[in-house]
Amino acid sequence: MEKKAKIAIGVGVVLLVGATVVIFRKDIAAALKRTFKGYTWFEDGLAWYRDSKNRAKVEALHPAYQDNIKEFFSWIEKNTPYNVIVTSGYRTFEHQAELYKENSKNAPAGKSNHNYGFAVDINLRHKKTGERLKKASSKSKWLATGIPQQAKKMGIDWGGDFNSYHDPIHFYKANMPSTTQMYALHQAGKVDNKGYVKIAA
């Protein structure tokens, strides 16, 4: 029986099969993982960071929130059976206005923490079963993961605690000025050279 080993090097993955060496680019390997059930080359790593779309959404957040959310996602993937899928991060006012038009339960433009890079929406995907926790999943299912509880320990509030709106996918930085205050700062031009509202971390 052939012995197989895998080694991650630079931007690729080397698969050793007997005396044959096959090199896969990481994006190709990731695509294969999505295609074939049970394909687990990267299960031991931080999937949220390897996924370029996830990473881009995190890196577009306000600088005062990025490290916080990176630590949170890494905790999830190291301590639970779930991987993180980022469905929304920073949103422009224009995008927020479209969402409000689609559903009046969404915040209007300028009134969402997403508009200032202080919120993310995520789904959770079980590493083995592929089961996905999303917006329609019950509050009790989300709480059973222990993830909302951990978020609070890390200074992140949870949309599952909203009284009038079921939003368990929503995680936002705690102890922040209100969106009304941030909107006023934005309108007054109190932003840095990248357009982020100037707020102390």
Side-chain angles (χ1 to χ4, degrees):
M1 183 176 179
E2 290 182 317
K3 292 185 178 180
K4 297 182 181 180
K6 56 180 182 295
I7 307 170
I9 299 177
V11 296
V13 172
V14 177
L15 175 65
L16 305 178
V17 183
T20 304
V21 177
V22 182
I23 299 177
F24 289 94
R25 280 172 43 192
K26 278 189 175 181
D27 56 346
I28 295 174
L32 286 172
K33 180 180 176 182
R34 289 192 297 270
T35 302
F36 300 103
K37 288 185 178 179
Y39 192 82
T40 56
W41 281 8
F42 296 120
E43 289 292 325
D44 294 334
L46 299 179
W48 78 262
Y49 187 79
R50 291 192 310 273
D51 186 293
S52 60
K53 291 182 179 179
N54 275 350
R55 190 168 64 251
K57 287 173 184 173
V58 170
E59 291 175 348
L61 295 172
H62 195 289
Y65 191 37
Q66 282 189 34
D67 287 347
N68 198 187
I69 210 68
K70 287 175 181 177
E71 182 184 3
F72 176 47
F73 288 175
S74 296
W75 182 91
I76 292 172
E77 296 199 352
K78 289 177 180 178
N79 295 280
T80 78
Y82 293 96
N83 283 333
V84 176
I85 302 167
V86 184
T87 58
S88 185
Y90 166 76
R91 296 178 193 152
T92 64
F93 283 19
E94 291 77 14
H95 184 196
Q96 192 67 40
E98 291 173 4
L99 294 175
Y100 181 68
K101 187 176 180 180
E102 292 171 5
N103 182 355
S104 61
K105 288 185 178 180
N106 290 322
K111 299 298 183 179
S112 169
N113 283 300
H114 285 283
N115 298 148
Y116 308 99
F118 284 112
V120 290
D121 291 345
I122 66 172
N123 284 185
L124 299 173
R125 182 169 55 209
H126 197 283
K127 296 173 185 176
K128 292 184 178 179
T129 68
E131 178 189 9
R132 190 156 167 163
L133 291 184
K134 45 193 175 181
K135 191 162 187 169
S137 302
S138 68
K139 180 175 181 177
S140 61
K141 278 194 172 183
W142 278 86
L143 286 171
T145 68
I147 290 169
Q149 297 90 324
Q150 178 64 24
K152 292 178 183 179
K153 293 177 183 178
M154 300 175 78
I156 300 170
D157 283 336
W158 180 47
D161 288 330
F162 292 157
N163 292 322
S164 59
Y165 186 41
H166 180 65
D167 201 10
I169 62 174
H170 185 70
F171 293 85
Y172 59 106
K173 189 169 178 64
N175 303 314
M176 293 296 296
S178 68
T179 53
T180 298
Q181 292 171 310
M182 287 193 281
Y183 181 77
L185 290 170
H186 183 274
Q187 294 303 97
K190 300 294 179 67
V191 298
D192 64 17
N193 59 2
K194 293 185 177 180
Y196 294 107
V197 171
K198 293 181 179 179
I199 294 175

